[in-house]
Amino acid sequence: MPDAVIDTPPASVRRTGLGEALRWRMFRAMEQLSDWRGNNTQGVFSLSDPEARGPALWLYVTTIGELNAVAPMLEWLTAQRPDLRPVLITEHAHYREAYLARLPGAVVCLTRGHSGDARALAERLPPQLLALAEIPCLPSDAPCRFSYAFLREARRSGARTLLLNGWLYHYAPPARLDQIERRLLERDYLQALDVLCVQDANTAEHLARRGAPRARLQVTGNMKFDAMQRPGWQVSQARSPRLLGDLLASGRPTVVAGCVTELPEQRAVLGAFRRLLAQHPQALLILAPRHPENTERLQALLSLLQDEQLVAARRSELDDAPLPKQVQCLVLDTVGELRDFYAAAQVAHVGVDHNVLEPLGLGKPLTIQDGWNTTYPSYPVYRMLHDQGVLHTCTDEASLCAYWLAAVAQAPQIADDLRRTEEVLAAMRGSVARHQAACGAWVSAARG
């Protein structure tokens, strides 16, 4: 789909039609019935700053990884509109600290998407801009919930509405009320967005068929290839600068394994690390499980480390101080620190279905395993890099260890891999500039 020229209407034109109003009343009646039956989206609403008031920039970002992925665009938006208080909307309470570390001046709004929450937020922090990044492009299209109510309240407040880095999961709505919302309000949801920046032409065409105005669709590529660059990064910017700085200075052979969630892959990583220790007794494994707040999964990992007789420590139980030398495995059971700890790696491993660009952005050799899910947001990047032949897939612990040993030894193979990877990544950048060109008029119009 070719780039379109989007005309910006006057700021006062934000009304919905009679048909939308009727459909909204029907949905609200169903939501009220669900409330009477015990709707679990009620009673969650809270603000990190309960006293916050005034005009706002609403931001919906599904995870810490997605926040990092679209950070250059969010930083540009907040720089363009310093008069607006950023409000990060999330259903995940455990993201609050990491979100505020990334955007210290922001307010974090905790909600599960109830329309009453949308009204309450609009009364206290009325939006002039709303940005969705990068999902959901459709109601309940992902294992997260940004309800039409928030989009509708933004329009009622006169806000300009932007979709950034759009991509589709192709998930079915998980609950009956979500199914009703999509059936009744999908076209209204799409038509309430002023500009839809999507990753590829297939996504644009799919959304057009579902009701998105073609003139508002922009194919802007994947912003993650820009966000991975960290040219000005310094250890002092990390949340654990003393611990991380000591690791960087120590010279210990270090493997950082990020988002390794499933037990078989955890066993493969630990088995490979055991083999590495046989040749490098001072080696360190930094292992970051996905969702460390899941106590059952975390306890299973700690039991596995005990079975392997590895000396382990949990990051959450340590001060920001040099890591004791006897520790062989640091379990990174905090949220929002993994991206910085990749800096300490001689080699990185990324768990299946997660973000390979974070370690690549720091120039780290990387291993992965097979079995990636086509519906996950990490898949488009994985597929592109896999097709270009720059991801090193290992089938077992022996092949994992062999590549890690080559990385620790700085073998010529590793330098060749990194050079080819950088050439491929360089060719895929430029999405942030395309987003800014597509959204610039709407950001300026929001001042009206």
Side-chain angles (χ1 to χ4, degrees):
M1 177 174 294
D3 290 347
V5 177
I6 302 177
D7 294 325
T8 309
S12 59
V13 182
R14 318 302 292 161
R15 296 188 182 91
T16 57
L18 178 60
E20 186 275 347
L22 290 173
R23 289 186 292 275
W24 176 247
R25 287 189 179 185
M26 292 174 63
F27 176 77
R28 278 288 295 126
M30 297 302 297
E31 186 181 46
Q32 288 169 337
L33 178 61
S34 180
D35 293 346
W36 179 74
R37 291 174 173 173
N39 188 344
N40 68 3
T41 67
Q42 284 187 302
V44 178
F45 179 81
S46 67
L47 300 176
S48 61
D49 179 359
E51 305 303 317
R53 298 291 186 275
L57 163 59
W58 286 7
L59 305 166
Y60 182 79
V61 185
T62 55
T63 67
I64 301 298
E66 303 310 325
L67 179 63
N68 290 333
V70 300
M73 189 64 185
L74 299 188
E75 290 164 1
W76 179 80
L77 286 173
T78 55
Q80 296 296 303
R81 296 306 310 271
D83 56 313
L84 302 181
R85 183 80 180 266
V87 177
L88 282 160
I89 301 168
T90 182
E91 59 267 55
H92 300 296
H94 59 280
Y95 287 168
R96 173 176 160 172
E97 182 181 353
Y99 275 4
L100 292 176
R102 202 75 166 92
L103 282 175
V107 176
V108 176
C109 172
L110 182 65
T111 174
R112 289 182 182 163
H114 195 279
S115 63
D117 296 354
R119 287 194 303 273
L121 183 60
E123 287 170 3
R124 302 180 194 189
L125 292 154
Q128 291 189 22
L129 276 173
L130 164 68
L132 300 179
E134 61 183 11
I135 49 175
C137 293
L138 297 173
S140 300
D141 180 61
C144 56
R145 188 165 192 259
F146 183 82
S147 66
Y148 176 68
F150 282 83
L151 194 49
R152 192 173 197 268
E153 287 295 336
R155 297 284 292 192
R156 284 164 54 84
S157 297
R160 303 302 179 175
T161 52
L162 316 173
L163 174 69
L164 311 178
N165 219 43
W167 184 78
L168 285 162
Y169 269 93
H170 299 285
Y171 275 22
R176 181 169 176 77
L177 191 61
D178 297 330
Q179 294 168 8
I180 293 169
E181 180 184 39
R182 184 182 290 189
R183 190 177 306 121
L184 284 175
L185 299 166
E186 178 180 275
R187 290 181 66 87
D188 298 305
Y189 185 103
L190 289 170
Q191 292 178 4
L193 292 163
D194 290 318
V195 58
L196 298 92
C197 297
V198 298
Q199 293 182 22
D200 54 44
N202 287 338
T203 301
E205 186 58 36
H206 185 91
L207 293 179
R209 291 197 304 268
R210 303 290 282 264
R214 289 181 181 272
R216 301 183 195 174
L217 285 160
Q218 297 276 301
V219 177
T220 46
N222 194 331
M223 207 184 305
K224 292 179 179 179
F225 290 104
D226 295 298
M228 65 173 287
Q229 298 181 92
R230 305 181 71 189
W233 182 87
Q234 297 179 357
V235 69
S236 59
Q237 298 169 342
R239 283 166 54 193
S240 306
R242 291 188 64 202
L243 194 161
L244 188 55
D246 180 72
L247 287 178
L248 287 165
S250 71
R252 291 183 70 176
T254 301
V255 179
V256 179
C259 296
V260 182
T261 303
E262 301 302 328
L263 194 59
E265 190 170 16
Q266 290 177 352
R267 285 183 174 139
V269 166
L270 292 178
F273 181 66
R274 268 285 179 206
R275 293 172 182 241
L276 183 68
L277 281 173
Q279 297 193 42
H280 295 280
Q282 297 304 310
L284 172 69
L285 173 65
I286 299 174
L287 181 57
R290 179 72 168 163
H291 293 305
E293 75 283 358
N294 186 320
T295 55
E296 184 177 345
R297 280 179 177 258
L298 183 60
Q299 189 56 52
L301 172 60
L302 296 174
S303 296
L304 188 59
L305 287 166
Q306 189 173 17
D307 292 343
E308 291 286 340
Q309 298 183 330
L310 291 170
V311 180
R314 295 173 59 174
R315 171 67 192 94
S316 62
E317 297 177 351
L318 297 175
D319 295 327
D320 181 22
L323 188 70
K325 289 182 171 54
Q326 69 269 25
V327 172
Q328 297 169 303
C329 179
L330 174 63
V331 178
L332 201 60
D333 61 341
T334 53
V335 175
E337 290 197 276
L338 173 59
R339 194 167 185 242
D340 288 325
F341 271 87
Y342 279 127
Q346 270 72 56
V347 62
H349 178 85
V350 169
V352 169
D353 294 327
H354 294 291
N355 185 2
V356 298
L357 289 177
E358 289 185 339
L360 293 179
L362 290 163
K364 303 299 179 179
L366 175 71
T367 57
I368 60 169
Q369 291 197 302
D370 279 326
W372 292 59
N373 190 320
T374 60
T375 68
Y376 280 28
S378 57
Y379 187 80
V381 169
Y382 161 79
R383 184 77 258 171
M384 281 189 277
L385 296 180
H386 181 275
D387 290 347
Q388 293 288 333
V390 297
L391 293 180
H392 194 87
T393 304
C394 298
T395 57
D396 54 28
E397 62 185 56
S399 57
L400 279 171
C401 183
Y403 195 79
W404 296 355
L405 285 169
V408 170
Q410 299 181 337
Q413 169 199 357
I414 302 299
D416 289 343
D417 286 351
L418 293 177
R419 176 185 52 76
R420 289 189 299 106
T421 300
E422 178 53 33
E423 289 172 355
V424 170
L425 294 173
M428 294 180 176
R429 294 177 185 136
S431 178
V432 170
R434 290 189 287 274
H435 272 80
Q436 291 172 356
C439 298
W442 296 98
V443 174
S444 300
R447 297 178 184 275

